[in-house]
Amino acid sequence: MKRNSSGKRIPPNASPIVLSEEYQVFTLPNGIRIAHKQVPHTQIAHCGIMLDIGSRDELPHQQGLAHFWEHMAFKGTEKRRSYHIINRLENVGGELNAYTTKEKICFHASVLDAHFEKALELLADITFHSVFPEKQLERERNVILEEMSMYVDSPEDAIQDDFDQLVFPNHALGNNILGTSETVNGFGRQELIDFIEQNLDTEQIVVASVSRLPFAKVVRVAEKYLSHIPHRRTSRIRLAPQSYTPKVEQRERAITQAQCAMGHPSYALLDEQRLPFFMLVNLLGGPGMNSRFNLSLREKYGFVYSIEANYTPYLDTGFLGFFFGTEARQLSKSIALIKKELKKVREVPLSTSQLHQTKVQLMGQLAMSEESNMNFMLMMAKSLLDTGKVDSLPEIFQEIEQVTSSQLQGIAQEMFHEDDFSYLTFLPE
C-alpha cells in the first residue's frame, strides 16, 4: 500500500489529491468525492454528505422544496422507518442532523469513532434511498408550516428573510428557504422525486470526515456504501441575478422594537476581493465586542443590544447586510451612526497598528473556528464544492497578511457608497 508525503498509508488506486499534509481527497468512479482530515487526539468522528443543491435551484412553484427534502429524508428509506432512523445513532450517544442553505443541502452526524461506519451508512441511506412516505409527508408538511410561523413571529429572523427579497427581487436567491405556505401545501411525493432528478449531480457531492481514523479506512467504508450510486450529471444552469436597484421599505408589525436591515449585493465567491472584504465587514460588525458598530451603537450610545454585519458570497454574486433592533425613536440616529462609520472607512485609511489588529483578530477567529472539528468538516465539504480545494490556515493567514490599508479603503469606497444601500424597517404598529 502506498504512502503519502506524511508517511500515511492510502488505498490502492486512490490517487488522492493531497491538499496539504493534513487533508486528503479520493474520488469514487461515480464522481462522489471523499474528503478526510485525520485528527489524532479525539474519539469523536464527524462526517457529512453535502450536495451542491439549494433553494436557489428551485423553480417558482418549487419554493421550499429543497428544505422539504431535507426534512423528508429522515422519514423513511427503502429499509428503515423514521423511528429506526432517529434511533440509529441516538442509541449510541451520537447526533444526526441536516440543514439547507441557498446553495447547499447537508446531512451530517457525530459519533464515537467506533460507530463511524454506522453513521456513514445511515447518511448514505437517507441521502440516496429515501422513499418519502405519503403519511409522513402530510405530517412533515404541518411541521414545516409551524416552522414558518415560528420565524414570522421572530421579527429579527423575519426581517432577514424579507430583506433577501428586497435585494434579489424576482430571483431564487431572494426567496425564503422555507418556501411559502402555498408552495409547501402543494408538494407531493412526485415533486420531491422530480426535484432530485433535476438537480442531483454525483460530481457535485462531497462526503467529508474528520476523526482519528486513517484515510484508508474512511475510503473503504465510503466505497462500501456509496460506490453503487450511479454516476449522474445535471443540465441545471444557475442564472445570476440581474441589475440591482436600491429600495427603501417600511412595514408595520405587532412588535415593540423597531428592526432594521440595510445592505446590497456584493462580491461573488471567487472574486479576488472576497477575503479583504470579509476583513472589512468583520472590522465593522463582526462577532467581536470591539467591532466599530458595536463600540458606537451599543457601548457609546446604548442604542442596540446587538448589531450584526453579514457578508455571504454566492457562486455568482454576494450579499452584504447590516441588521439591528432598537427603539423606534432611535432608529434614524442608529442609521446615522452606521453611515458615519462607513464614511470613516471610506475616507480614512487604517493606520499600521489598526491594520495589524484587524488581521490578528481575524486570524484568531478563524483559528478558533477550525478548533471545532465538526465546523471544519462542514467547511471542508463546502470549500471543495465551491472551489475544488481546501486552503490551509497558513495559506489563509498568508493571504490576510498581504492585504493593505489602501486595498481595504478602495473596497470601502466601492462597496459602502450610501446610495447603493437598500433599507427595510419593521416599525411597531
Side-chain angles (χ1 to χ4, degrees):
M1 189 170 283
K2 298 179 181 179
R3 296 176 182 269
N4 66 13
S5 58
S6 298
K8 299 173 184 176
R9 295 191 301 171
I10 59 177
N13 305 317
S15 300
I17 304 169
V18 181
L19 302 167
S20 74
E21 291 190 349
E22 298 178 348
Y23 324 126
Q24 295 168 296
V25 176
F26 171 67
T27 303
L28 296 174
N30 57 20
I32 297 175
R33 283 168 284 177
I34 317 301
H36 179 63
K37 177 180 180 180
Q38 189 172 22
V39 180
H41 306 295
T42 179
Q43 297 184 62
I44 304 301
H46 303 280
C47 56
I49 299 180
M50 187 174 291
L51 305 93
D52 195 39
I53 303 171
S55 62
R56 73 167 299 174
D57 301 310
E58 299 162 348
L59 300 173
H61 68 281
Q62 295 176 326
Q63 289 182 38
L65 198 49
H67 176 255
F68 204 99
W69 172 18
E70 174 213 317
H71 276 241
M72 285 302 301
F74 293 82
K75 300 307 171 184
T77 68
E78 295 168 3
K79 64 180 182 180
R80 289 185 173 97
R81 295 188 177 184
S82 60
Y83 173 84
H84 302 112
I85 293 172
I86 291 171
N87 283 282
R88 178 72 169 162
L89 301 185
E90 294 279 351
N91 285 342
V92 294
E95 296 179 354
L96 177 66
N97 214 330
Y99 62 86
T100 305
T101 68
K102 303 280 186 178
E103 295 185 333
K104 302 288 184 287
I105 294 176
C106 182
F107 304 100
H108 60 96
S110 300
V111 292
L112 283 169
D113 55 23
H115 305 296
F116 169 76
E117 181 169 350
K118 183 178 291 188
L120 190 55
E121 185 275 332
L122 181 63
L123 289 173
D125 194 30
I126 65 174
T127 303
F128 298 104
H129 303 292
S130 291
V131 294
F132 314 123
E134 291 286 355
K135 289 184 179 179
Q136 290 282 6
L137 193 147
E138 292 305 319
R139 293 171 187 163
E140 205 60 26
R141 188 195 317 279
N142 292 329
V143 170
I144 292 174
L145 292 173
E146 288 297 324
E147 184 180 2
M148 293 169 66
S149 298
M150 179 181 70
Y151 278 99
V152 170
D153 288 342
S154 175
E156 61 270 24
D157 292 324
I159 197 168
Q160 297 196 27
D161 290 330
D162 290 358
F163 191 57
D164 284 345
Q165 292 182 318
L166 207 66
V167 175
F168 300 115
N170 304 312
H171 191 276
L173 284 175
N175 294 338
N176 192 320
I177 290 174
L178 302 182
T180 68
S181 57
E182 291 77 17
T183 57
V184 170
N185 275 311
F187 294 152
R189 183 173 182 273
Q190 192 59 47
E191 280 71 26
L192 286 163
I193 294 171
D194 291 344
F195 181 72
I196 295 171
E197 180 68 27
Q198 293 160 7
N199 290 282
L200 188 66
D201 186 333
T202 52
E203 294 188 18
Q204 293 300 314
I205 297 173
V206 169
V207 178
S209 166
V210 175
S211 70
R212 66 179 177 182
L213 299 174
F215 181 52
K217 179 172 182 178
V218 172
V219 171
R220 283 198 300 271
V221 174
E223 285 182 315
K224 182 176 179 180
Y225 297 109
L226 294 165
S227 60
H228 69 282
I229 304 299
H231 177 262
R232 295 179 56 172
R233 298 306 311 271
T234 179
S235 58
R236 178 193 71 190
I237 298 176
R238 284 175 167 167
L239 300 176
Q242 300 303 307
S243 59
Y244 162 75
T245 302
K247 297 179 181 178
V248 178
E249 287 192 15
Q250 290 187 348
R251 303 172 188 174
E252 291 189 350
R253 290 286 193 94
I255 53 179
T256 59
Q257 184 188 52
Q259 295 288 330
C260 179
M262 53 187 290
H264 56 71
S266 60
Y267 300 116
L269 189 68
L270 299 180
D271 196 292
E272 62 182 10
Q273 302 284 40
R274 180 174 67 96
L275 181 60
F277 184 54
F278 180 71
M279 288 178 57
L280 199 54
V281 174
N282 194 62
L283 169 71
L284 289 171
M289 293 293 288
N290 66 340
S291 73
R292 291 192 174 187
F293 287 166
N294 192 72
L295 289 176
S296 176
L297 276 75
R298 173 174 169 152
E299 298 300 326
K300 186 173 182 179
Y301 291 99
F303 286 169
V304 303
Y305 175 73
S306 65
I307 180 167
E308 173 189 349
N310 179 15
Y311 165 48
T312 305
Y314 298 116
L315 174 70
D316 41 25
T317 186
F319 170 82
L320 169 69
F322 306 144
F323 304 93
F324 65 91
T326 187
E327 295 292 328
R329 59 185 174 82
Q330 297 167 166
L331 180 60
S332 60
K333 294 179 182 178
S334 298
I335 294 174
L337 288 173
I338 292 174
K339 290 182 176 180
K340 181 179 178 181
E341 294 300 329
L342 296 179
K343 182 180 180 182
K344 188 182 299 182
V345 294
R346 289 198 310 267
E347 298 181 353
V348 183
L350 295 184
S351 67
T352 301
S353 61
Q354 288 172 331
L355 179 62
H356 175 71
Q357 178 185 323
T358 301
K359 292 178 178 180
V360 170
Q361 182 171 15
L362 180 57
M363 287 189 286
Q365 291 171 350
L366 292 174
M368 285 193 288
S369 176
E370 188 168 312
E371 278 290 297
S372 166
N373 289 334
M374 185 178 74
N375 287 346
F376 183 84
M377 179 271 295
L378 298 173
M379 180 280 294
M380 182 165 58
K382 184 177 186 300
S383 183
L384 279 169
L385 286 172
D386 288 339
T387 68
K389 62 188 180 73
V390 180
D391 291 327
S392 67
L393 271 181
E395 290 171 326
I396 297 172
F397 287 177
Q398 183 178 12
E399 190 176 349
I400 290 173
E401 289 286 11
Q402 293 173 348
V403 175
T404 65
S405 180
S406 60
Q407 184 180 8
L408 292 178
Q409 186 178 13
I411 291 173
Q413 291 169 350
E414 179 182 0
M415 294 306 263
F416 296 151
H417 196 285
E418 290 186 12
D419 293 341
D420 291 338
F421 278 84
S422 289
Y423 295 83
L424 175 62
T425 53
F426 289 173
L427 297 174
E429 293 177 340

